[in-house]
């Protein structure tokens, strides 16, 4: 047996790692895997960088940012597998929800209501609203920024963005430390079931089939003999997670305190409704997704404008490895089509 230590954050989309361990997919590939529940995305990044974790459940933009040296030293990484698409959302506090116009339902209407309320607060000399995101380099940060900026909100002046580990966001809403959060499942559901706010945006509305998490590892892991069996085990687990008859079992498994540690009833809704792990090519890291992340990194001045984006993406995103894992497990190659438009009609493809 070959040993591996894999890190994860307590979120519903860590499911492929948990299922691969619990259902014997790792063992079936000759892997003795230790799953390590980590406290924050910064911890995941740092432990992968120094080799304390062989690979990890990782925010897709984080692998790109680390390789570019954004926010720290250059730490070349690879993303040989996408773990899930969709699953995150923005929850507004009750106080902020009540400030929105009656009947505001679409993403554009809600954002316009927020922009108007923010403008009123600014004119009255009140402090900016505070929103929590899970990490600086995350789909969560970019989706929130894009959504609010489209409505005319100045992200440098009108709001305050803070980084908070996902499991702590519910308590921050409860205590009034933040006015809204952008976080992955199940924590939006936990917040709304606790009467703490309203989900105003889901990333499946913002960008249907949009990216979120990948398997991330140091660049040298691309040549490690353990990578191919790891990917085979994970794609099998992803296919298992997408089977409707397995979702109750999966929710109960993730609810255990060593994994997500939230009630199964709060975990279950995202499975099948929001999160997709395997079907429609969800497990293939898409170059188009990486391109969009780089446009956002440039927009928000996180990377230099003259960065060679294509070279960076080619070094990090390795779809051929995921496709090979699908082929060798007999799961077949998916038909990959251009990603769906964003909520505002913007299209983004590999052209």
């Amino acid at each position: 047996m070959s040993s591996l230590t894999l890190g994860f954050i307590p979120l519903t989309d860590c499911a492929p790692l948990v299922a691969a361990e619990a259902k014997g997919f790792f063992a079936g590939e000759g892997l003795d895997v230790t799953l390590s529940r980590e406290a924050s995305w910064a911890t995941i990044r740092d432990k992968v960088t120094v080799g304390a974790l062989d690979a990890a459940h990782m925010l897709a933009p984080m692998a790109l940012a680390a390789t570019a040296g954004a926010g720290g030293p250059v730490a070349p990484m690879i993303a040989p597998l996408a773990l899930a698409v969709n699953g995150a959302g923005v929850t507004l506090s009750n106080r902020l929800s009540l400030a929105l116009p009656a009947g505001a339902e679409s993403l554009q209407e809600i954002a316009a209501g927020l922009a108007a309320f923010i403008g009123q607060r600014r004119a009255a000399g009140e402090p900016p609203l505070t929103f929590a995101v899970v990490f600086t380099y995350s789909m969560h940060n970019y989706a929130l920024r894009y959504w609010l900026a489209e409505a005319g909100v100045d992200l440098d002046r009108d709001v305050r963005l803070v980084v908070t580990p996902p499991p702590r966001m519910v308590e921050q809403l409860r205590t009034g430390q933040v006015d809204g959060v952008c976080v992955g499942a199940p924590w939006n559901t936990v917040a709304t079931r606790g009467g703490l706010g309203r989900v105003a945006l889901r990333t499946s509305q913002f960008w249907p089939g949009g990216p979120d998490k990948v398997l991330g590892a140091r660049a040298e892991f691309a040549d490690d003999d353990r990578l191919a069996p790891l990917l085979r085990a994970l794609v099998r687990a992803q296919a298992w997670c997408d089977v409707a008859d397995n979702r109750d079992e999966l929710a109960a498994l993730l609810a255990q305190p060593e994994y997500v540690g939230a009630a199964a009833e709060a975990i279950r809704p995202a499975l099948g409704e929001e999160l997709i792990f395997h079907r429609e090519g969800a497990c293939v890291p898409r170059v188009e997704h990486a391109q969009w992340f780089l446009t956002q990194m440039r927009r928000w001045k996180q990377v230099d404008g003259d960065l060679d984006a294509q070279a960076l993406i080619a070094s990090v995103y390795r779809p051929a490895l995921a496709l090979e894992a699908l082929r060798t497990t007999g799961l077949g190659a998916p038909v990959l089509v251009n990603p769906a438009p964003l909520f505002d009609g913007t299209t983004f493809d590999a052209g």
Side-chain angles (χ1 to χ4, degrees):
M1 298 285 280
S2 298
S3 297
L4 282 169
T5 300
L6 307 179
F8 72 94
I9 295 293
L11 291 159
T12 306
D13 57 21
C14 75
L17 280 70
V18 174
E21 175 64 16
K23 304 305 292 183
F25 297 117
F26 285 144
E29 291 289 345
L31 299 174
D32 178 15
V33 171
T34 298
L35 296 181
S36 179
R37 189 180 196 265
E38 302 295 341
S40 70
W41 289 116
T43 303
I44 289 274
R45 177 198 59 194
D46 295 346
K47 285 191 173 184
V48 170
T49 298
V50 302
L53 295 171
D54 295 299
H57 171 227
M58 186 177 286
L59 297 160
M62 191 163 73
L64 294 164
T67 303
V74 172
M77 293 190 184
I78 57 169
L81 189 72
L83 290 178
V85 299
N86 301 331
V90 175
T91 297
L92 305 179
S93 68
N94 289 323
R95 180 177 70 92
L96 191 50
S97 296
L98 290 172
L100 296 176
E105 293 294 338
S106 72
L107 296 189
Q108 290 89 341
E109 289 169 340
I110 295 170
L114 284 172
F117 181 62
I118 287 168
Q120 293 166 10
R121 289 175 57 88
R122 183 175 64 246
E126 297 184 53
L129 297 176
T130 300
F131 290 87
V133 296
V134 301
F135 197 64
T136 304
Y137 309 102
S138 66
M139 178 65 176
H140 313 68
N141 186 31
Y142 303 139
L144 179 65
R145 285 174 172 270
Y146 189 109
W147 179 52
L148 293 178
E150 285 297 293
V153 176
D154 185 329
L155 274 296
D156 294 322
R157 178 190 64 177
D158 294 339
V159 297
R160 176 173 169 260
L161 299 183
V162 297
V163 171
T164 302
R168 292 179 52 196
M169 288 196 174
V170 174
E171 186 59 24
Q172 291 206 347
L173 270 177
R174 189 189 315 277
T175 58
Q177 296 178 67
V178 297
D179 300 288
V181 301
C182 189
V183 66
W187 302 112
N188 290 298
T189 301
V190 172
T192 56
R193 289 191 172 208
L196 301 179
R198 163 195 176 183
V199 176
L201 172 149
R202 298 187 186 279
T203 50
S204 58
Q205 299 169 298
F206 174 83
W207 190 2
D212 202 316
K213 307 298 190 311
V214 297
L215 180 74
R218 290 187 297 172
E220 53 263 39
F221 198 62
D223 299 316
D224 195 300
D225 291 341
R226 297 169 295 175
L227 178 58
L230 173 60
L231 296 183
R232 290 194 297 268
L234 286 172
V235 296
R236 287 192 171 102
Q238 288 176 295
W240 183 88
C241 290
D242 267 353
V243 174
D245 288 347
N246 296 335
R247 290 171 189 156
D248 288 343
E249 180 183 353
L250 179 57
L253 181 63
L254 291 170
Q256 296 179 29
E258 64 267 34
Y259 299 130
V260 177
E265 293 77 14
I267 293 171
R268 180 63 178 82
L271 299 174
E273 298 298 323
E274 288 285 323
L275 279 168
I276 302 173
F277 301 100
H278 170 76
R279 66 181 187 272
E280 302 169 8
C283 60
V284 180
R286 301 292 299 270
V287 169
E288 299 95 322
H289 293 166
Q291 288 176 323
W292 187 79
F293 286 140
L294 263 295
T295 67
Q296 298 310 298
M297 290 182 187
R298 283 173 166 160
R299 178 181 186 179
W300 303 112
K301 298 179 173 55
Q302 294 176 334
V303 295
D304 291 337
D306 59 357
L307 177 76
D308 188 339
Q310 298 308 313
L312 174 64
I313 292 168
S315 72
V316 177
Y317 270 51
R318 307 291 183 90
L321 295 173
L323 291 169
E324 177 65 9
L326 290 169
R327 185 189 68 80
T328 54
T329 54
L331 291 170
V335 177
L336 300 177
V337 299
N338 281 338
L342 275 66
F343 76 100
D344 61 354
T346 298
T347 58
F348 204 92
D349 58 34

